[in-house]
Amino acid sequence: MITFNVGPSKIYPEVRNYLTEAYDNHILSISHRSKEFDTFSQKCLELMHEKLQIPADYTILYTGSATESWEIIAQDIVSKSTVQFYNGEFGKKWFEYAHYIHPETIGYKYNESEEIKLNSYNIPSDIEMLGFTLNETSTGTKVSDKVIKEAKSTFPNALISIDTTSCLGGIAIDFKLFDIIYGSVQKCFGLPAGLGILILSPKAIEKAKTKNITGRYNSVLKMVDQIQKFQTNYTPNVLNIYLLSRVLAQITSISDINNLIKKRAADWYNFIPTLNGFYLHITNKEVQSDTVITVGASEENIIKIKKEAKIAGIELGSGYGSLKNTTFRIANFPAITDAEINQLKKFLSAI
Ligand SMILES: *Cc1c(COP(=O)(O)O)cnc(C)c1O
């Protein structure tokens, strides 16, 4: 079975060996306060800085999931309210979590086929934070750097916060544009689920200090403190941190990965319109996601293709939320090989 699921998604085949290695080296039983843990955790953080080109003064934290980051941001960094832009289910969930903690949070739903037009919204000039979903996994859209740069210049004091869960590790991100960046490893890192990553700029940490929340198990200031020793304040997913350090050592630079993913995305966007009975859910090139290709069809065609794909040994990503019955999604993640892509294209052409 090959999988184009968008998360959890295909894991790198090398992970099989890394798992055995972890078992054989007794990594599964070590203390998260031990020298052994510190060594590969430090390696993991250094490789993340190096391979993803994360600025040296940005702090990388381990979390349990991207969902946990939604709460951490609202509880520990935001004092009163933020503006959350969304066009799909994940951005909407982030808004809902933020709104639950800060009822003054403003959510703006925008058209999935268009770029966000910042000047058409009523945004308080002293807004604390603007939240965007860089890659909305449910619709298959992205937010361009142009929008982010405009947000930064219009609201120079605001923190810019971004959900990168389905593109971190797959496309090159200009981290300097953002203060809060988060994701998890079961998408573009080709790893099993259960580990999140939260990256903070010095400005974001300063903001957290003004709020000074320290009493929660996942208080960000406690986490920032512990990570100086490459550690966490609770027992983390030690195995996944080890696996991440091994996958990061294996992959090439993010610019190479970025080029590969963008080329494959362009191929998918050219290929889908050649099929009978299927169409691109997002046709505006400016907002088409590079890592999640959403394909639309009639409900009958969606049922048929998913069934036949299974028989052919191919797992497609289902549509999500309100798009469940009228779309399927194709993960364009780095762990997927050219041979697998060709197999899927051959299958789709024959349908
Ligand atoms: C998958 C996903 C999430 C949720 O990730 P978890 O690690 O399951 O919390 C959040 N946002 C986006 C954009 C996603 O694709």
Side-chain angles (χ1 to χ4, degrees):
M1 189 66 131
I2 63 171
T3 181
F4 289 87
N5 225 339
V6 293
S9 46
K10 188 195 170 191
I11 61 169
Y12 281 108
E14 289 88 344
V15 169
R16 189 177 200 272
N17 284 342
Y18 303 154
L19 285 166
T20 314
E21 203 178 85
Y23 182 91
D24 290 346
N25 294 336
H26 303 288
I27 280 160
L28 302 179
S29 311
I30 61 167
S31 160
H32 57 295
R33 303 278 174 239
S34 67
K35 187 86 200 72
E36 292 98 314
F37 175 80
D38 293 353
T39 304
F40 65 76
S41 173
Q42 178 178 10
K43 181 104 200 140
C44 184
L45 298 167
E46 283 172 1
L47 282 170
M48 208 148 18
H49 275 289
E50 179 198 322
K51 294 277 172 100
L52 303 185
Q53 305 207 334
I54 298 171
D57 60 347
Y58 278 43
T59 303
I60 304 171
L61 302 170
Y62 303 119
T63 64
S65 64
T67 303
E68 187 188 358
S69 293
W70 290 335
E71 278 201 357
I72 293 174
I73 295 164
Q75 288 181 340
D76 293 14
I77 302 178
V78 176
S79 304
K80 216 171 103 208
S81 77
T82 62
V83 167
Q84 303 291 141
F85 288 96
Y86 62 91
N87 76 16
E89 305 289 335
F90 288 102
K92 182 160 175 268
K93 278 191 200 169
W94 182 11
F95 162 63
E96 286 165 356
Y97 276 85
H99 186 262
Y100 184 78
I101 292 168
H102 300 293
E104 288 178 50
T105 301
I106 303 164
Y108 286 130
K109 184 172 194 299
Y110 64 96
N111 185 330
E112 63 188 13
S113 296
E114 289 171 15
E115 293 244 53
I116 300 168
K117 295 185 193 71
L118 277 179
N119 57 15
S120 66
Y121 298 96
N122 187 12
I123 302 172
S125 59
D126 61 348
I127 191 73
E128 286 177 66
M129 186 189 100
L130 297 166
F132 302 91
T133 303
L134 190 57
N135 196 76
E136 174 51 73
T137 322
S138 68
T139 51
T141 60
K142 67 180 174 189
V143 176
S144 72
D145 283 359
K146 201 177 76 194
V147 172
I148 302 298
K149 282 177 183 158
E150 192 189 334
K152 264 180 98 70
S153 65
T154 317
F155 304 97
N157 296 324
L159 297 170
I160 309 285
S161 183
I162 196 99
D163 182 340
T164 65
T165 310
S166 54
C167 59
L168 186 65
I171 57 151
I173 294 171
D174 185 358
F175 288 92
K176 282 281 181 198
L177 292 176
F178 309 104
D179 298 293
I180 303 168
I181 306 104
Y182 62 87
S184 40
V185 300
Q186 73 275 19
K187 298 187 183 173
C188 290
F189 288 101
L191 283 167
L195 177 66
I197 293 160
L198 173 60
I199 305 165
L200 301 176
S201 73
K203 184 172 159 183
I205 294 177
E206 280 315 306
K207 180 77 165 61
K209 283 183 180 157
T210 65
K211 217 184 157 190
N212 202 26
I213 302 285
T214 54
R216 292 200 171 89
Y217 87 101
N218 57 3
S219 293
V220 84
L221 293 179
K222 275 205 304 218
M223 295 167 87
V224 168
D225 216 30
Q226 286 291 335
I227 208 74
Q228 306 312 317
K229 298 180 283 183
F230 320 111
Q231 295 186 358
T232 52
N233 39 306
Y234 52 89
T235 319
N237 190 333
V238 174
L239 172 60
N240 230 339
I241 292 171
Y242 177 75
L243 297 177
L244 179 58
S245 75
R246 299 295 282 119
V247 160
L248 286 167
Q250 159 201 322
I251 62 175
T252 62
S253 73
I254 193 66
S255 59
D256 286 349
I257 296 174
N258 178 75
N259 292 344
L260 175 72
I261 293 301
K262 292 209 165 156
K263 180 176 177 303
R264 286 176 172 177
D267 288 347
W268 278 122
Y269 285 114
N270 286 331
F271 176 80
I272 300 297
T274 68
L275 300 172
N276 260 341
F278 296 92
Y279 54 90
L280 289 172
H281 178 66
I282 303 290
T283 51
N284 178 358
K285 286 190 181 339
E286 303 287 315
V287 300
Q288 280 170 343
S289 162
D290 296 305
T291 50
V292 178
I293 320 295
T294 307
V295 182
S298 65
E299 290 197 20
E300 303 78 71
N301 274 354
I302 295 291
I303 292 168
K304 180 170 166 240
I305 191 135
K306 283 208 290 209
K307 203 171 121 209
E308 293 194 11
K310 262 228 158 84
I311 294 166
I314 301 171
E315 191 177 13
L316 299 169
S318 290
Y320 195 89
S322 58
L323 297 170
K324 192 163 183 51
N325 297 328
T326 52
T327 63
F328 70 88
R329 293 173 297 167
I330 301 171
N332 182 28
F333 295 167
I336 294 165
T337 62
D338 285 333
E340 290 169 333
I341 292 170
N342 289 336
Q343 191 180 334
L344 176 55
K345 283 188 176 163
K346 214 166 134 194
F347 165 78
L348 292 172
S349 298
I351 208 90

